[in-house]
Amino acid sequence: QVQVAESGWGLVQPVGSLNLSCTVSGLRFDRYAMAWFREAPGKEREVASQISSRASTTYYANSVKGRITISRDNTKNIVYLQMNDLKVEDSAMYYCAADRQFRLAAPRASDFTYWGQGTQVTVSS
């Protein structure tokens, strides 16, 4: 049984930082691309970042490029999302997702197979 679990929810002030983690079990983690999606109220779920199975390739949405960093530790089955210079518009539920295929173009939520329950990030003064 595949399990995907996010952690690191928080309330931060604008320009603050937050680090999210996602632990995966039940699959060969080093064979799966991982991604962080986010969904704000009333909006579609969109990709924030994606990392290939061996961390050789990453993708960042234009809205977060330069402010966030995705990384993974295949020895611990964990993927991270370091977020800096947070903005109010970054407030959303953040989801971790896994799939065998890394997409060179912006992946859609429907492209990913396994999902976590999500963790809330709120940026507010």
Side-chain angles (χ1 to χ4, degrees):
Q1 181 180 0
V2 177
Q3 293 187 325
V4 180
E6 303 95 341
S7 61
W9 64 272
L11 169 63
V12 297
Q13 293 186 339
V15 308
S17 298
L18 191 65
N19 190 32
L20 304 181
S21 300
C22 171
T23 302
V24 182
S25 62
L27 51 74
R28 275 290 304 269
F29 184 72
D30 63 356
R31 293 183 179 179
Y32 280 75
M34 298 298 300
W36 287 95
F37 284 78
R38 63 185 188 178
E39 185 174 341
K43 294 188 177 181
E44 290 188 0
R45 191 170 298 188
E46 62 177 10
V47 67
S49 185
Q50 181 188 198
I51 188 168
S52 61
S53 60
R54 300 299 177 95
S56 59
T57 309
T58 56
Y59 168 88
Y60 295 98
N62 287 334
S63 58
V64 300
K65 196 173 295 183
R67 299 189 297 116
I68 72 169
T69 302
I70 191 170
S71 61
R72 64 189 295 162
D73 185 339
N74 285 353
T75 67
K76 298 179 179 179
N77 287 16
I78 298 177
V79 60
Y80 303 99
L81 190 71
Q82 175 65 44
M83 301 188 291
N84 302 314
D85 189 24
L86 283 163
K87 306 177 184 299
V88 172
E89 52 265 37
D90 293 319
S91 298
M93 186 72 80
Y94 282 72
Y95 296 90
C96 179
D99 193 75
R100 288 296 303 270
Q101 186 176 353
F102 178 89
R103 274 80 178 177
L104 292 176
R108 300 164 297 179
S110 58
D111 291 330
F112 277 73
T113 305
Y114 300 107
W115 289 86
Q117 295 297 310
T119 188
Q120 180 67 43
V121 172
T122 302
V123 184
S124 175
S125 56

